[in-house]
Amino acid sequence: MNQEASPPVVQADLSVSLGRLRLPNPVLVASGTFGYAREMAGLVDLARLGGIVPKTITRLPRPGNAPWRTIETAAGMLNSIGLDNDGVDAFIEHHLPYLASLGAPAIISVAGKDFEDFVFLAERLNGLPGVAALELNVSCPNVSGGVDFGTDPEMCRRVVQGVRKACSVPILAKLTPNVSRIADVAIAAEAGGADALTLINTCLGMAVDWRGRRSMLGNVMGGLSGPAIKPIALRCVHQCRQAVSIPIVGVGGIATIDDAMEFFITGATAIQVGTANFFRPTASIEIVGLAL
Ligand SMILES: Cc1cc2nc3c(=O)[nH]c(=O)nc-3n(C[C@H](O)[C@H](O)[C@H](O)COP(=O)(O)O)c2cc1C
């Protein structure tokens, strides 16, 4: 056989490290846009993903916000789900065994209304089979009444540090863009002991039915996501890349390999696909395939 005519097949190693968390590749799916993975199993080869971040869970069940909860916008969507979930115990019983069986690392997203909630969740999940890492959702725009860990750097540092002491698994702190200086919050999360940052959660927005003279979302305001927020997410990755040395997971408007590459070039070590899962459920796997 003419060796020169057939170039060698390269087995690309796409694995990346987010601090102590090793991922088979840098393409993950974002919390709240992929259910608990079971819903997507018929559409996506889940084992090929770099990681799965299921819907955020809380200590106790939450019914979520009043409808409407999602609105399509010109270049994305608004949501105000309000962290609708059945609580950590139901998650451990019904969803975690399935996530543990998939072959892709599961990064469990948690949110608390106060410091004690976050620590409780970290202790409860620590060491359970299937928990590769925790993603601290200190950035949900759709819940009120709790402490705003994502906007006050010192509160952010304290909650990350509290979780750090309460568990041994790697921690990702997911930050909100709805602040004037995201780098300050990033520095605080790093100081608290975060292994990596996830940037960004949704941008606070609103849709109005002017004829009905009312806001279209039941919760009045909600989080904007999708292509509209990619420039904001890239800006946040850029600003935080200058400010911290821990790895960054970029998320916001990523639907194609070109979007993903823009984040890598800006300093992200890995990316998450969010809203694109709704209009092209195979988007994440297509990006993995094109990277190979
Ligand atoms: C319907 C919906 C639900 C979401 N729920 C969560 C959630 O429970 N926890 C969380 O951390 N982020 C949640 N997000 C935010 C996404 O994970 C992601 O950070 C954001 O949508 C930006 O990425 P994208 O533009 O690719 O969607 C949600 C987003 C959408 C659209």
Side-chain angles (χ1 to χ4, degrees):
M1 192 173 107
N2 181 352
Q3 293 282 328
E4 284 178 22
S6 55
V9 175
V10 178
Q11 287 291 332
D13 176 9
L14 293 182
S15 62
V16 292
S17 293
L18 301 177
R20 294 170 297 140
L21 176 64
R22 189 91 185 145
L23 300 175
N25 70 66
V27 183
L28 296 81
V29 285
S31 182
T33 66
F34 211 73
Y36 296 101
R38 198 183 267 111
E39 301 88 326
M40 307 298 276
L43 300 164
V44 175
D45 182 357
L46 300 169
R48 291 184 65 206
L49 290 169
I52 295 171
V53 191
K55 175 75 185 165
T56 297
I57 53 167
T58 52
R59 185 173 183 167
L60 297 173
R62 286 177 57 93
N65 292 330
W68 294 349
R69 293 173 166 199
T70 55
I71 304 279
E72 192 170 336
T73 63
M77 69 184 281
L78 275 166
N79 89 83
S80 68
I81 308 293
L83 298 185
D84 182 340
N85 80 104
D86 293 335
V88 65
D89 289 335
F91 171 80
I92 290 170
E93 188 181 342
H94 300 300
H95 300 299
L96 191 55
Y98 178 73
L99 287 162
S101 74
L102 294 178
I107 300 169
I108 311 305
S109 172
V110 296
K113 65 180 180 321
D114 54 27
F115 179 88
E116 285 71 30
D117 264 10
F118 273 103
V119 170
F120 175 90
L121 287 160
E123 286 172 346
R124 185 84 179 84
L125 291 161
N126 189 36
L128 294 181
V131 180
L134 297 182
E135 185 175 81
L136 308 188
N137 178 359
V138 289
S139 45
C140 183
N142 300 318
V143 288
S144 57
V147 177
D148 227 343
F149 293 104
T151 55
D152 179 334
E154 178 54 17
M155 294 301 294
C156 181
R157 188 195 63 75
R158 280 189 51 206
V159 79
V160 173
Q161 190 176 57
V163 169
R164 171 79 294 142
K165 286 183 181 154
C167 71
S168 56
V169 290
I171 301 169
L172 287 71
K174 183 170 181 181
L175 304 187
T176 175
N178 305 316
V179 290
S180 29
R181 289 164 58 93
I182 194 170
D184 290 352
V185 190
I187 291 167
E190 182 178 48
D195 293 80
L197 301 176
T198 303
L199 306 173
I200 56 176
N201 210 315
T202 52
C203 304
L204 196 59
M206 195 167 157
V208 172
D209 167 13
W210 69 268
R211 291 181 182 84
R213 306 182 74 83
R214 63 178 186 94
S215 168
M216 294 176 79
L217 288 169
N219 198 42
V220 183
M221 288 176 279
L224 182 66
S225 63
I229 72 165
K230 188 178 74 172
I232 299 172
L234 285 167
R235 182 266 298 172
C236 290
V237 170
H238 172 71
Q239 288 180 318
C240 293
R241 185 66 292 153
Q242 316 294 311
V244 298
S245 52
I246 51 176
I248 292 172
V249 181
V251 50
I254 299 174
T256 67
I257 187 137
D258 291 303
D259 298 326
M261 290 307 298
E262 290 169 20
F263 279 82
F264 292 133
I265 294 304
T266 308
T269 300
I271 55 101
Q272 294 179 1
V273 176
T275 298
N277 293 312
F278 294 114
F279 60 83
R280 219 174 68 244
T282 52
S284 53
I285 285 300
E286 286 166 25
I287 295 172
V288 176
L290 286 166
L292 276 171

